[in-house]
Amino acid sequence: MSDADVKPFLALVESKLAEKRTFEQAIRAGLGAIMVSPEFLFFRETPGKLDDFALASRLSYFIWSSMPDDELLAEAEKGKLHEPGALHAQVERLLKSPKAAAFTQNFLGQWLGLRDIDFTMPGHILYPDYDEMLKASMVRETELFFNEILKMT
């Protein structure tokens, strides 16, 4: 973050202090402005071919929902991620990691709407066996099936 990025938020804090607000109120206003600013909320990139670090970042956040690890960053630093064999090997490595559970949950949660399973409840007259265990099992079975499909590809 550059000084130019911080300048408007500092100006906001200073204006609140000039209005005789407390230091805490001024800081809260500044932090609140930062947290709702598009630059804080959204990851912006320029269009065009991705460099290896951008590729590593997208790969890691897509599969792990987390930042790239040291091995992925080392591959990016070598400039090897654009090579098909290296990229395939890294994708396989990331998918085999326990951190890949985030991909399964997030992808299926959005694609199949599994996140919304609590928004409806089947009637007990038609489905007397439906309970919390069955609901959790339905979600888990879907995740496990999806993981098996991933292993086959």
Side-chain angles (χ1 to χ4, degrees):
M1 185 174 259
S2 69
D3 289 344
D5 295 330
V6 175
K7 197 172 189 175
F9 303 112
L10 286 176
L12 176 63
V13 171
E14 290 169 356
S15 73
K16 295 298 179 186
L17 290 171
E19 293 173 4
K20 304 292 186 213
R21 303 274 178 99
T22 66
F23 178 75
E24 181 183 345
Q25 290 171 329
I27 292 295
R28 282 179 183 261
L31 289 175
I34 289 169
M35 291 167 62
V36 297
S37 70
E39 289 75 21
F40 180 78
L41 293 172
F42 302 107
F43 184 67
R44 296 184 190 211
E45 287 186 304
T46 56
K49 185 176 179 183
L50 299 176
D51 66 19
D52 283 68
F53 287 101
L55 187 56
S57 182
R58 286 183 182 206
L59 200 61
S60 182
Y61 279 102
F62 181 65
I63 296 175
W64 285 353
S65 297
S66 181
M67 62 188 284
D69 64 355
D70 291 339
E71 183 176 336
L72 193 55
L73 289 173
E75 287 294 303
E77 192 168 336
K78 293 176 196 171
K80 297 207 175 223
L81 279 182
H82 276 88
E83 296 174 9
L87 183 60
H88 181 76
Q90 287 301 315
V91 169
E92 288 294 320
R93 184 181 70 83
L94 294 176
L95 286 173
K96 287 179 182 171
S97 167
K99 292 181 184 180
F103 170 69
T104 299
Q105 290 171 346
N106 290 328
F107 184 75
L108 294 178
Q110 290 177 8
W111 178 40
L112 300 178
L114 292 182
R115 293 178 180 162
D116 300 335
I117 198 164
D118 288 326
F119 290 153
T120 60
M121 182 72 128
H124 285 293
I125 294 172
L126 285 176
Y127 303 99
D129 294 332
Y130 186 86
D131 60 9
E132 289 298 314
M133 180 63 81
L134 180 59
K135 178 178 74 172
S137 297
M138 289 166 43
V139 171
R140 188 67 183 136
E141 181 179 3
T142 305
E143 292 171 350
L144 291 171
F145 179 70
F146 181 76
N147 284 334
E148 286 301 313
I149 292 171
L150 278 179
K151 288 177 187 175
M152 291 190 290
T153 58

